[in-house]
Amino acid sequence: MATAHHLRLSSRDLEGNDGLGRYVWLPGDPGRARLLADQLEQVRTVTNPRGLDVHLGRLSGEPGEPIDVAAVATGIGAGAAEVVVHELLACGARRLLRVGSCGTMNEAVRPGQVVVACAAVRDEAVTGTWAPAGFPALAHPEVTAAMCEGARRTGLAGETFRGICHSKSSLYAREFGHGPRGEENLRYCRTLRDCGVIASEMEASTLFVLAAVHAPWAGPLDRPAGRDELQAGAVLAVFATDRSDMVFDPEAARQAERRAIRVAVAGTRVWAAADRAAAAPA
C-alpha cells in the first residue's frame, strides 16, 4: 500500500467511486480546503506536520449517488504543488481539480468572476524537470467541459470565462514588476496578454504537466476513457487584476471564491456522472 511521505496519506484513503478513486479538489489555501470540505458529508481529516490536511468525504451526486471526494491544499507555487500532486498520484489519484485563485489579464474578466483554465503557460521551473520546453500544459478536455457545464447549471455562465492561464514561479517580480528586472517582467506579461492569456496564477501548469506525463491520455473517440486515465483541470477565482500589486477588494475576492467553489462542486457532479456513464455496460 502506497503511503505519501508529506501528506501522511495511504492509497486506501483515496479509494472510492467503484474503483475509480476519489475526485480530488486542490486549492492553494488551506482555508479554502476547509470551505470545500464544508460541501461534503461524513468528513474525515488526515492531518500531517506540513499543515496540508486532507479532508475526505462524500458529495451528493446525480441522481443521488454519492461521490467520494478529497480536498487538500497545495500551498503556494509550483514547487509545493509538485510535492502534493506527485504524492496524490503515487497514492492512486486519477481525477484532480485545482480550485485556485488568479489575477485577470483581460479587461473583460473582472474581480469576483471565475476562470476555467483549458491550458497554462509554463512560466515556472518545476515542469521543465518533467517535460521539455515545447511540451504543452493542457487541462483534460472532459474536465474543462464538465466545469463549464457546472457553471451553466449554477447560473454562473455569464460570470465564468474559459481560456489560457499564465502559471509563474514569481508573484512580485514577474507579475507586479518588483526588483531590478521589473520592466522586463512587465513586458513579458503584456505580451502574454496580447496573445490572449486571460489570467495569471501559480500552480495549474504543474498539475496539468504532472497529470499528462504520469498517464498520457489518448484513444479513439468511440471508446470511453479508461479507468486508469488521468484527468486534471482548474477552476480559478478572480481575486484582482494582474496589475493590482496585491491591493484588491476583499468582497470581490470572497464573491469569486464562493462562485469558484459552486462551479467546482457542480462541475464535479457533471464529471462524475460522465465517468459513471462511460463505465456502464453497453
Side-chain angles (χ1 to χ4, degrees):
M1 182 190 308
T3 302
H5 174 73
H6 295 90
L7 297 180
R8 302 292 172 89
L9 197 69
S10 75
S11 55
R12 184 171 296 168
D13 292 316
L14 293 185
E15 292 176 353
N17 298 312
D18 299 320
L20 178 62
R22 291 182 185 269
Y23 293 80
V24 184
W25 293 331
L26 296 168
D29 181 356
R32 192 175 310 126
R34 291 189 291 271
L35 289 176
L36 285 161
D38 289 342
Q39 311 300 311
L40 307 176
E41 300 174 348
Q42 303 175 35
V43 176
R44 174 173 64 91
T45 300
V46 178
T47 61
N48 56 73
R50 299 285 178 170
L52 302 174
D53 296 343
V54 185
H55 308 283
L56 309 169
R58 307 196 96 182
L59 177 69
S60 60
E62 298 176 355
E65 295 183 65
I67 305 165
D68 297 305
V69 178
V72 55
T74 60
I76 298 176
E82 179 203 31
V83 171
V84 174
V85 172
H86 185 66
E87 291 193 357
L88 289 167
L89 296 177
C91 287
R94 288 296 177 269
R95 299 291 188 269
L96 302 104
L97 179 70
R98 170 159 160 69
V99 188
S101 61
C102 67
T104 172
M105 299 180 76
N106 185 300
E107 291 183 358
V109 184
R110 302 184 307 277
Q113 296 181 318
V114 178
V115 166
V116 175
C118 58
V121 177
R122 290 173 53 199
D123 184 27
E124 34 69 28
V126 167
T127 58
T129 64
W130 288 93
F135 188 83
L138 300 175
H140 195 287
E142 299 288 348
V143 189
T144 300
M147 296 306 127
C148 291
E149 179 60 22
R152 295 184 189 98
R153 294 190 183 189
T154 55
L156 289 171
E159 305 294 337
T160 303
F161 294 76
R162 178 182 57 206
I164 300 171
C165 71
H166 165 225
S167 297
K168 74 272 184 182
S169 293
S170 165
L171 174 63
Y172 288 104
R174 190 57 135 177
E175 186 172 351
F176 299 138
H178 292 202
R181 298 181 65 183
E183 185 53 39
E184 176 187 344
N185 286 319
L186 292 177
R187 281 197 301 271
Y188 174 84
C189 289
R190 286 195 293 268
T191 300
L192 292 184
R193 192 180 301 114
D194 291 342
C195 289
V197 177
I198 67 171
S200 186
E201 56 86 72
M202 300 186 75
E203 293 88 20
S205 62
T206 300
L207 171 61
F208 296 166
V209 170
L210 262 66
V213 302
H214 274 78
W217 37 274
L221 294 178
D222 62 353
R223 187 180 306 163
R227 303 290 279 180
D228 291 332
E229 181 179 87
L230 261 170
Q231 297 184 5
V235 172
L236 306 172
V238 182
F239 276 12
T241 71
D242 64 332
R243 287 160 284 185
S244 69
D245 211 2
M246 298 304 291
V247 178
F248 53 85
D249 179 357
E251 181 50 41
R254 284 191 292 269
Q255 182 183 55
E257 185 173 56
R258 290 192 296 266
R259 286 172 165 173
I261 288 172
R262 288 175 60 195
V263 169
V265 169
T268 299
R269 290 190 173 108
V270 174
W271 193 8
D275 277 331
R276 283 173 173 153

